[in-house]
Amino acid sequence: EEGPRENARSVSLRIIRGRGEGLAMYLILLGPPGVGKGTQGVLLADATGWERVVTGDLLRTAKDAGTPLGTQAQQYMTAGNLVPDHLIIKMVEEKLSTLSAGTGVIFDGFPRTEAQASAFAMMLEALGRTIDTVVVLEADDEVLSKRISGRRSCPSCGAVYNTVLAPPKKDGVCDVDGTPLFHRADDHADTVQNRLNVYRRETEPLIEYYDGSKAVVHRVPSQEGPDEVQSKVREALGVGE
């Protein structure tokens, strides 16, 4: 069984090194809340020039622009309901349609459930694409709890800080635009365990799902600082510093 896995890995690394010629890599970042998916996604996108796709950003952009999909999504959000998977998938498809064939893509924290993953795979198949690689970021619950409860966000530009790992230069204020930072309700210590439980129940099964697919799955320990973890991610992908 190691042979096919190694062959797939060799193909995926050739795709990375040959980006710009034909189809570039489609990669998913998976991991529990607080593990650093957003940070690693930004660092990897900066290092490779790949496009980072975050469904929350797509929703906000579509809603603010008043697009047909954004208007539909807003109706669900206004009613206090989750935006259905088919709308999320359609927004992702719309985003991919704007990218050239040679653009690598990092799907940051998406899909979140097996139902999303299945619908996503069907959409990609229709485009003649598939997921090449999945990077699973791992850390124990104690580390995750500290990271989540220490997180602070800027409501204006979306920048995220951590009071322990990556504090702002001035306490409580965004480095980018000076906006006061806020502590999201779901980042409070008393909600952290519930978020982790939801991840274990709904998203963690995706690791097994992609283990059974043609994608190469890399598990990366993520207890250290962002730069150290990024080095491990790039090493796993065969991307030079």
Side-chain angles (χ1 to χ4, degrees), residues 37-91:
K37 293 186 296 295
T39 298
Q40 294 307 316
V42 169
L43 291 173
L44 187 59
D46 287 346
T48 59
W50 298 343
E51 188 77 19
R52 176 171 169 257
V53 173
V54 184
T55 54
D57 292 347
L58 296 182
L59 277 170
R60 281 187 289 273
T61 300
K63 178 173 65 70
D64 293 344
T67 67
L69 289 176
T71 300
Q72 291 180 62
Q74 181 62 50
Q75 292 172 352
Y76 285 97
M77 291 186 285
T78 299
N81 298 319
L82 292 175
V83 178
D85 287 349
H86 73 272
L87 279 183
I88 298 293
I89 296 293
K90 195 66 181 174
M91 286 184 184

Side-chain angles (χ1 to χ4, degrees), residues 111-134:
R112 294 178 183 270
T113 66
E114 287 194 58
Q116 279 189 351
S118 179
F120 185 37
M122 292 177 64
M123 181 267 281
L124 289 177
E125 184 178 5
L127 298 177
R129 293 307 314 260
T130 188
I131 292 299
D132 301 297
T133 300
V134 177

Side-chain angles (χ1 to χ4, degrees), residues 128-145:
R129 293 307 314 260
T130 188
I131 292 299
D132 301 297
T133 300
V134 177
V135 173
V136 183
L137 303 177
E138 300 178 324
D140 62 43
D141 284 5
E142 182 179 357
V143 171
L144 298 172
S145 295

Side-chain angles (χ1 to χ4, degrees), residues 6-228:
E6 281 304 308
N7 289 340
R9 184 175 188 276
S10 298
V11 170
S12 72
L13 295 187
R14 286 201 297 274
I15 292 171
I16 292 175
R17 291 170 181 148
R19 64 182 181 278
E21 299 178 8
L23 300 177
M25 169 156 294
Y26 275 21
L27 176 150
I28 292 173
L29 278 180
L30 280 181
V35 80
K37 293 186 296 295
T39 298
Q40 294 307 316
V42 169
L43 291 173
L44 187 59
D46 287 346
T48 59
W50 298 343
E51 188 77 19
R52 176 171 169 257
V53 173
V54 184
T55 54
D57 292 347
L58 296 182
L59 277 170
R60 281 187 289 273
T61 300
K63 178 173 65 70
D64 293 344
T67 67
L69 289 176
T71 300
Q72 291 180 62
Q74 181 62 50
Q75 292 172 352
Y76 285 97
M77 291 186 285
T78 299
N81 298 319
L82 292 175
V83 178
D85 287 349
H86 73 272
L87 279 183
I88 298 293
I89 296 293
K90 195 66 181 174
M91 286 184 184
V92 173
E93 182 179 12
E94 197 173 74
K95 175 66 176 178
L96 295 180
S97 71
T98 69
L99 306 178
S100 68
T103 303
V105 182
I106 302 164
F107 298 97
D108 189 338
F110 172 84
R112 294 178 183 270
T113 66
E114 287 194 58
Q116 279 189 351
S118 179
F120 185 37
M122 292 177 64
M123 181 267 281
L124 289 177
E125 184 178 5
L127 298 177
R129 293 307 314 260
T130 188
I131 292 299
D132 301 297
T133 300
V134 177
V135 173
V136 183
L137 303 177
E138 300 178 324
D140 62 43
D141 284 5
E142 182 179 357
V143 171
L144 298 172
S145 295
K146 288 180 179 178
R147 288 181 180 175
I148 295 172
S149 59
R151 189 155 52 190
R152 301 293 185 272
S153 306
C154 176
S156 177
C157 73
V160 178
Y161 303 87
N162 188 283
T163 56
V164 177
L165 297 174
K169 294 175 183 176
K170 183 178 179 181
D171 187 38
V173 177
C174 179
D175 293 345
V176 179
D177 56 23
T179 302
L181 302 177
F182 76 102
H183 195 190
R184 285 176 14 183
D186 59 353
D187 283 344
H188 285 278
D190 56 351
T191 65
V192 168
Q193 191 56 53
N194 181 61
R195 291 181 63 191
L196 292 175
N197 290 342
V198 170
Y199 169 79
R200 307 291 183 210
R201 183 175 66 250
E202 296 185 0
T203 305
E204 195 170 59
L206 286 179
I207 300 173
E208 183 176 351
Y209 173 92
Y210 284 112
D211 265 333
S213 74
K214 294 181 180 179
V216 181
V217 178
H218 298 287
R219 291 165 173 79
V220 178
S222 304
Q223 313 248 115
E224 299 177 272
D227 291 340
E228 291 80 7

